[in-house]
Amino acid sequence: MMNDGAPAATREIADLLRDLSWNIHRKAPEITGIEPLPNTELAVLKHVLDNPGLTVTELARLMGLKQSNASAAVRTLAERGLVTRSSSPTDRRVSLLLPTEEARAQNEVIAHAWAGPIRAGIERLNAEQREALEAASGALATLNRAMQSRG
C-alpha cells in the first residue's frame, strides 16, 4: 500500500469509508418504476435538489465537472422531466436549475430505498457501536461538505 504521508488512522478511516460507500452502492435495491440514472446524472440531480436555483456554471464548479459535462447531464435530466430551467429574476440571460415535482417524488423513493440497507446494517451493530456512529455524525456531515466543496 502506498504511504501518502497521512497518519495510519486517517488512511484506515478513508479506506473504510471508501469500502462502506462501495457496499452501500452495491446493495442499493432496484427501484421498480424508476428508470435508473447514470452516476453523473444522479449526482447532478442530488445537487439540484439540495441547491435549487444553481446555474450550470455553479453546478459544474461545485461538482468539479467540466461545464460541457454538467450541461449534458442537465439536458438529459430536463428531457426526463426531472429538472427545469428558469430565467433569473435579476438577469434573464442566466438560467437557474430547479427540480421538478417528479424529481422530488423520485428522490423520496430513492432515498428511502437506499437508506433501508443502511438502517438494517446499523441495527445489526451493538448499542455502543450505534452510539459511536451517532457521535460521529457531525464529523461525517462536515467531511461530506468538505468533499463537496473540494470540487
Side-chain angles (χ1 to χ4, degrees):
M1 176 194 273
M2 188 169 87
N3 185 343
D4 59 4
T10 300
R11 287 195 313 271
E12 183 178 347
I13 290 169
D15 288 346
L16 285 168
L17 288 172
R18 181 201 62 219
D19 292 347
L20 177 61
S21 68
W22 172 250
N23 282 317
I24 291 168
H25 185 75
R26 184 176 59 82
K27 291 193 182 270
E30 288 292 320
I31 301 167
T32 306
I34 299 176
E35 185 180 334
L37 288 171
N39 286 340
T40 300
E41 281 87 359
L42 188 61
V44 165
L45 181 57
K46 176 85 171 99
H47 277 80
V48 172
L49 283 159
D50 290 346
N51 307 286
L54 286 174
T55 65
V56 173
T57 301
E58 291 167 335
L59 176 70
R61 187 174 49 248
L62 181 66
M63 294 185 64
L65 294 174
K66 291 183 181 178
Q67 176 106 12
S68 60
N69 293 344
S71 293
V74 168
R75 189 171 35 257
T76 299
L77 293 169
E79 289 168 359
R80 291 184 62 173
L82 299 172
V83 171
T84 61
R85 295 174 188 257
S86 175
S87 294
S88 167
T90 58
D91 186 347
R92 294 283 181 206
R93 297 170 296 174
V94 175
S95 291
L96 306 178
L97 304 174
L98 300 169
T100 64
E101 287 305 315
E102 178 67 17
R104 286 186 182 94
Q106 284 191 19
N107 185 54
E108 287 299 314
V109 171
I110 291 167
H112 181 74
W114 276 67
I118 298 167
R119 283 192 306 270
I122 291 171
E123 289 303 315
R124 288 194 296 268
L125 301 176
N126 65 40
E128 183 180 331
Q129 292 166 328
R130 286 193 302 272
E131 288 171 11
L133 276 178
E134 289 171 13
S137 66
L140 290 170
T142 301
L143 174 60
N144 186 46
R145 286 189 298 277
M147 295 296 299
Q148 287 175 336
S149 66
R150 248 182 43 154

